[in-house]
Each structure stands twice: as structure tokens, then as C-alpha cells.
């Protein structure tokens, strides 16, 4: 056999054995290129030094978001000091690879440092701390972060429709309970002052469908729009559990929010599956997972006001679902632990290919 023929035979054998499957013909970001649709993912800075992590991230996504690096406990560890080192690494990566950056998040009730949660501040002091935090962080990334999750998960699970009790709502003068969403309003105004070009989002969990929580957010966003409070979008997290998604209700919800003149981003999508002790899911579940990815991405892509879909990480190697579920669930993302594309990946790409025609 001639040597060229031998090389060809060996190469096709390797491809058939699955070695070729790791690099898909057209990446997600290539599928989204023509339309400018944003396909993003959450990023952990220390994983950027892993070659497979970095190359998959750069090849597949045109947007990213620090998963934890911009939360208070990381970025504002002491009252007088800010630490941008982790988030800067992520933003630099995005710049080098022509990716947009979403900022997550300026105001949340979780992952706050003890100096903040345990400090006995007066209402006025707390308002000052919050304004300084927002203006310092947003100022640092002015022109680099194109969209901020200004406030995250402010509505309550147990009493849907009501604001959650947090230091921000309860304690400072900016957010006494009877003032409703006034503390949220002030956060949006401060963010806008710090970067008038950035798109400002309200981000929420379990508000993807038409339900009492999304009703309350809808009322808040409508009120903000009517009174000129600077809000540009709503983020729906889309952490899917039990392989169940009411896609018709999600589509109707996207419809009503975009009709208010705001954009919708899907911000944290993953589809958790039951897994065995090795972290493996059943083949049938991987197919059902793919269907959910396809249906939800299609619901977004087919709506002009839904401008981005983002997954909460991209490889099962680094996903919050494992620790969050005490290792009973996992395999929630489009790539497996060895960065091989799963059925969910093909489903997502199929939905993105649809975007050209929208
Ligand atoms: C999660 C991160 O993925 C974990 O690494 C961290 O330990 C806890 O927070 N809603 C959000 C995200 O808005 O910030 C959360 O991220 C997941 C739920």
C-alpha cells in the first residue's frame, strides 16, 4: 500500500473510533456568527490554564461571564480593598478571543464577605458601601463589560411575588420593606451612572415560566420602563431539574417581557441529570436532555428580543450541579468531562443554525 493511502486509512479509522468527534465541523459560535446572536458560558479563572478548557471555550463561544469571580466575596474581600485579579484574567481572555463579557453580579444575597454581612452598619453606611461597590466595579470594567446582572435573585421562593429579605432590602434606608423595589431602582441608577453604555439586566431563578415570581418581576420592569429607570434586559437563569421544562410557558414569558421593550438573555442554562457514583448519566436521559436544550434554545433564537443564550459552564468536569446536589446529579452541560460533545451540544448547534433565518 502506498504511504499516502495508509495515512488516509489510519486517519479514517481514528475518526471512526471517535478521535475525530472532539472537534466538531462548525462550532457554536460559527453557527451564531451570521446573525450576531450571542452564545455564552460561565467561566472559572483557574481552569483557563488547562489547554482543553481554553481551546474549547475560545472555539465555541462568543460571550462569557465570570461564574464567581465578580461576586463580593472575591472582588471586595475587605471593606477598603478590591481584588480584580480573577475577573481581569477572564476579561483578558475574552478580549484576546473576540468575546463579549457579561458581568455577574453587583447585588445578591449570597457569596458576600463576612465584613459586609456581619458588620453592624447603619442604613446610610450600607447605602454608601453599596454605591461605592457598584461604581468601583462597574468603573473598573467600563467599556469592557457590555451587560451587567445588576441585581440577582431579589424575589423570594417561599413567598413568590415578594421581595426576599436581605441586608439590602431590610436594613439600609434604600430598601426598607415598605419601599418595595426602590433599592433595586437605586442600584440600576448607580450602575448607569458608572457606565452609561452598559446594558443593565435584572437576573432571576425560577422565573422562566409564567408564574407568580415572573409576574412580580414583570410588574417591576414595566414600572421601571414607565418611569425611565435604566433597565435594558431580564436574565432567566434556566437551571432545569427533573428533565422538565414547560417550553410553551417559557416562550410566552419571553414574549411578554420583550413586549416591554427589554431584551431577554438566558443566562445560566444547565439540565441536571441523575448520575451514578462515577458521574455518568443514562443514555436515554442524555437524549431527553438534548431535546430540552434544543427546545429552549429554539424558543430564544426564534424571538428577536431574546438575544443571548448562555450555559452555566460548558464541561461536566466543572459544573456547580455536582456539589449543589451532593453528587446525585450532574452531566448537565453540552460537553462531557473529557470535552467531548454530547447530544446536547448538537441540539444547541442545531438551534443556533436556525438563527440565520430569524
Ligand atoms: C453558583 C456557582 O456556579 C458556584 O460555583 C458557587 O459556589 C455558587 O454559585 N444562581 C446564580 C449563580 O446566579 O451565581 C450561582 O452560581 C448559581 C445559581
Amino acid at each position: 500500500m502506498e504511504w499516502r493511502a495508509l495515512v488516509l486509512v489510519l486517519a479514517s479509522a481514528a475518526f471512526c473510533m471517535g478521535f475525530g468527534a472532539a472537534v466538531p465541523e462548525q462550532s457554536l459560535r460559527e453557527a451564531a456568527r451570521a446573525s450576531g446572536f450571542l452564545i455564552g458560558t460561565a467561566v472559572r479563572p483557574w481552569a483557563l490554564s488547562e489547554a482543553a478548557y481554553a481551546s474549547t471555550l475560545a472555539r465555541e463561544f462568543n460571550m462569557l461571564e465570570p461564574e464567581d469571580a465578580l461576586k463580593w466575596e472575591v472582588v471586595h474581600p475587605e471593606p477598603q480593598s478590591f481584588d480584580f485579579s480573577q475577573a481581569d484574567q477572564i476579561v483578558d481572555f475574552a478580549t484576546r478571543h473576540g468575546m463579549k463579557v457579561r458581568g455577574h453580579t453587583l447585588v445578591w444575597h449570597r457569596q458576600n464577605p463576612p465584613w459586609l454581612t456581619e458588620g453592624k452598619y447603619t442604613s446610610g453606611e450600607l447605602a454608601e458601601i453599596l454605591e461605592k461597590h457598584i461604581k468601583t466595579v462597574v468603573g473598573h470594567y467600563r467599556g469592557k463589560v457590555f451587560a451587567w446582572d445588576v441585581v440577582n435573585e431579589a424575589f423570594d421562593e417561599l413567598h413568590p411575588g415578594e421581595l426576599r429579605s436581605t441586608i439590602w432590602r431590610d436594613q439600609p434606608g434604600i430598601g426598607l420593606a415598605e419601599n418595595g423595589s426602590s433599592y433595586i431602582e437605586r442600584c440600576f441608577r448607580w450602575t448607569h451612572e458608572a457606565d452609561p453604555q452598559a446594558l443593565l439586566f435584572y437576573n432571576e431563578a425560577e422565573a422562566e415560566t409564567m408564574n407568580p415570581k415572573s409576574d412580580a418581576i414583570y410588574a417591576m420592569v414595566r414600572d421601571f420602563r414607565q418611569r425611565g429607570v435604566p433597565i435594558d434586559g431580564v436574565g432567566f437563569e434556566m437551571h432545569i431539574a427533573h428533565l422538565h421544562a414547560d417550553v410553551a410557558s417559557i416562550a410566552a414569558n419571553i414574549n411578554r417581557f420583550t413586549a416591554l421593550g427589554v431584551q431577554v438573555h438566558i443566562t445560566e442554562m444547565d439540565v441536571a441529570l441523575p448520575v451514578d457514583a462515577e458521574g455518568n448519566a443514562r443514555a436515554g436521559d442524555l437524549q431527553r436532555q438534548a431535546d430540552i436544550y434544543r427546545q429552549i434554545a429554539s424558543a430564544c433564537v426564534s424571538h428577536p428580543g431574546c438575544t443571548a443564550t448562555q450555559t452555566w459552564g460548558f464541561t461536566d468536569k466543572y459544573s456547580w450541579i455536582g456539589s449543589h446536589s451532593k453528587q446525585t446529579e450532574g452531566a448537565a452541560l453540552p460537553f462531557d468531562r473529557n470535552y467531548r460533545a454530547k447530544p446536547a451540544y448538537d441540539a444547541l448547534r442545531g438551534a443556533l443554525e436556525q438563527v440565520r433565518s430569524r
Side-chain angles (χ1 to χ4, degrees):
M1 189 184 285
E2 204 204 326
W3 68 269
R4 254 180 293 238
L6 182 66
V7 168
L8 202 65
V9 168
L10 289 176
S12 0
F15 187 84
C16 294
M17 287 165 73
F19 298 121
V23 183
E25 290 150 30
Q26 175 174 245
S27 70
L28 300 178
R29 78 183 284 183
E30 281 165 357
R33 181 174 295 148
S35 63
F37 186 80
L38 296 170
I39 177 74
T41 193
V43 169
R44 301 184 171 192
W46 40 262
L48 290 171
S49 55
E50 194 181 315
Y53 184 95
S55 62
T56 308
L57 176 62
R59 186 185 70 229
E60 299 293 340
F61 299 95
N62 57 24
M63 176 174 82
L64 55 66
E65 170 168 316
E67 183 164 340
D68 291 302
L70 283 171
K71 292 172 182 171
W72 278 68
E73 66 179 6
V74 181
V75 86
H76 199 166
E78 301 295 335
Q80 299 309 328
S81 71
F82 288 82
D83 180 356
F84 293 110
S85 55
Q86 292 191 28
D88 281 356
Q89 275 184 58
I90 297 175
V91 173
D92 288 349
F93 184 94
T95 308
R96 277 186 277 119
H97 296 282
M99 307 162 93
K100 290 203 170 197
V101 181
R102 289 189 96 260
H104 176 81
T105 174
L106 299 167
V107 185
W108 196 26
H109 60 288
R110 288 178 183 271
Q111 291 180 269
N112 289 320
W115 70 260
L116 176 67
T117 51
E118 287 158 29
K120 298 274 174 275
Y121 300 104
T122 64
S123 296
E125 284 167 342
L126 209 44
E128 238 172 72
I129 289 170
L130 184 53
E131 178 177 1
K132 179 180 165 210
H133 176 87
I134 289 178
K135 292 194 169 167
T136 306
V137 175
V138 174
H140 183 83
Y141 291 108
R142 189 171 30 230
K144 293 184 174 165
V145 166
F146 88 108
W148 280 102
D149 286 339
V150 178
V151 177
N152 195 33
E153 301 180 349
F155 284 88
D156 201 51
E157 266 86 49
L158 300 176
H159 307 98
E162 287 179 27
L163 285 171
R164 181 193 299 281
S165 164
T166 73
I167 49 169
W168 309 121
R169 191 206 69 156
D170 303 341
Q171 199 183 328
I174 60 168
L176 293 173
E178 62 269 23
N179 289 339
S181 56
S182 71
Y183 88 95
I184 301 179
E185 173 176 343
R186 291 191 71 182
C187 294
F188 275 83
R189 291 191 189 280
W190 286 329
T191 309
H192 185 67
E193 280 169 39
D195 186 353
Q197 303 302 322
L199 298 175
L200 309 190
F201 279 70
Y202 176 77
N203 193 56
E204 187 58 89
E206 291 155 16
E208 294 81 4
T209 56
M210 307 284 276
N211 63 33
K213 203 195 244 192
S214 64
D215 288 349
I217 298 166
Y218 179 81
M220 177 183 81
V221 174
R222 191 179 49 193
D223 170 51
F224 282 7
R225 298 288 293 178
Q226 278 167 357
R227 292 189 298 106
V229 180
I231 184 166
D232 304 286
V234 173
F236 295 129
E237 294 186 5
M238 213 64 79
H239 295 289
I240 305 285
H242 314 299
L243 279 168
H244 172 77
D246 184 344
V247 181
S249 184
I250 290 169
N253 202 33
I254 291 175
N255 242 329
R256 69 166 167 168
F257 274 93
T258 53
L260 292 175
V262 294
Q263 301 182 33
V264 166
H265 284 178
I266 292 174
T267 50
E268 306 186 12
M269 183 161 182
D270 49 24
V271 181
L273 300 180
V275 289
D276 63 19
E278 277 76 51
N280 295 316
R282 287 185 289 267
D285 283 352
L286 291 170
Q287 292 301 335
R288 293 167 69 199
Q289 176 185 59
D291 283 343
I292 292 179
Y293 268 100
R294 178 184 305 106
Q295 288 171 19
I296 290 178
S298 293
C300 177
V301 153
S302 60
H303 201 298
C306 193
T307 49
T309 291
Q310 185 166 260
T311 56
W312 204 237
F314 53 96
T315 166
D316 292 337
K317 187 172 182 182
Y318 305 122
S319 159
W320 79 304
I321 293 295
S323 57
H324 185 63
S325 68
K326 302 201 170 57
Q327 314 305 328
T328 59
E329 291 177 82
L333 293 167
F335 289 90
D336 73 9
R337 278 165 296 165
N338 297 310
Y339 298 93
R340 278 188 305 239
K342 293 161 61 182
Y345 173 87
D346 296 327
L348 210 45
R349 195 177 53 185
L352 291 173
E353 281 164 355
Q354 221 186 298
V355 85
R356 285 203 205 96
S357 55
R358 75 179 194 173

